Amino acid sequence: MAPALLLIPAALASFILAFGTGVEFVRFTSLRPLLGGIPEPGGPDARQGWLAAVRDRSILVPLAWDLGLLLLFVGQHSLMATETVKAWMSRYFGVLQRSLYVACTALALQVYYHVLGLGEPLALKSPRALRLFSHLRHPVCVELLTVLWVVPTLGTDRLLLALLLTLYLGLAHGLDQQDLRYLRAQLQRKLHLLSRPQEGEAE
């Protein structure tokens, strides 16, 4: 059984690693690269593009690497979720078993990001976006507040937790007019991109 004092920093390190990996995953699957892959109206036929791609070695080799890296994640995620492995990990790591599982999952994804050459996510953001991020907590915190408050009854300990975290999140929320103008511009930009006619669509 691991010493009690090691549990908190180990669990915290696992959380930070998993959270950072999640942020990179969201960036990897974000709207910008998805829209960037949409062919422009009047471009080459999509079917011919796929046929050319499956014959191009410069495309097939990276795809094979992608497949191997994804299988690494799937294999690790599935193997460590089996009852046999979980029982073994619980025997030797105690309550750290879940933290170790999450850390290994995050590491498997980090290998994928590293091989693809994906850098620090925030380095790709504009100064206005970075300014916005510095004025608010992560939007996922809204989900946390919902989980804390939307319950039939609140015990004293849960009420204390909900109050302190709400205060913590609220004090960091300081959007100004410049942030709101940036958010409005981003919303209009995304609405414009989503309303843009795609190839083959009637004008």
Side-chain angles (χ1 to χ4, degrees):
M1 184 69 69
L5 292 179
L6 295 178
L7 300 182
I8 295 178
L12 182 60
S14 174
F15 170 77
I16 293 173
L17 179 61
F19 184 82
T21 302
V23 170
E24 288 213 33
F25 182 74
V26 170
R27 183 183 70 84
F28 178 68
T29 58
S30 65
L31 188 63
R32 180 178 177 183
L34 290 177
L35 289 175
I38 297 176
E40 294 292 336
D45 181 74
R47 178 181 173 84
Q48 294 300 320
W50 277 103
L51 291 175
V54 297
R55 298 191 185 101
D56 191 340
R57 181 177 175 82
S58 65
I59 295 178
L60 293 179
V61 171
L63 282 178
W65 274 102
D66 286 349
L67 177 61
L69 292 167
L70 288 172
L71 289 177
L72 169 67
F73 166 74
V74 172
Q76 172 273 323
H77 206 64
S78 302
L79 179 64
M80 294 187 71
T82 62
E83 292 300 325
T84 302
V85 174
K86 286 196 293 186
W88 180 86
M89 291 175 61
S90 297
R91 185 181 309 118
Y92 289 99
F93 298 98
V95 295
L96 288 179
Q97 178 267 132
R98 186 64 186 178
S99 294
L100 184 61
Y101 171 74
V102 172
C104 290
T105 299
L107 283 173
L109 284 175
Q110 288 288 346
V111 170
Y112 183 69
Y113 300 142
H114 176 73
V115 172
L116 290 181
L118 300 177
E120 169 61 37
L122 291 180
L124 302 177
K125 300 297 182 181
S126 68
R128 295 178 67 190
L130 294 176
R131 185 181 187 277
L132 171 69
F133 295 159
S134 68
H135 292 167
L136 77 168
R137 299 293 183 194
H138 195 281
V140 76
C141 293
V142 176
E143 178 184 352
L144 173 62
L145 292 181
T146 303
V147 171
L148 289 173
W149 286 107
V150 184
V151 289
T153 59
L154 275 173
T156 306
D157 53 350
R158 188 183 181 97
L159 177 61
L160 177 63
L161 176 65
L163 286 172
L164 287 178
L165 288 181
T166 301
L167 182 63
Y168 167 73
L169 297 174
L171 289 176
H173 194 83
L175 300 183
D176 56 20
Q177 288 298 320
Q178 187 174 339
D179 293 323
L180 294 177
R181 286 195 297 270
Y182 172 73
L183 287 172
R184 189 179 298 113
Q186 290 299 305
L187 175 61
Q188 292 300 323
R189 176 175 174 271
K190 285 179 169 47
L191 290 176
H192 174 71
L193 289 172
L194 292 173
S195 62
R196 185 178 62 186
Q198 298 183 18
E199 184 181 358
E201 187 175 307
E203 294 288 339

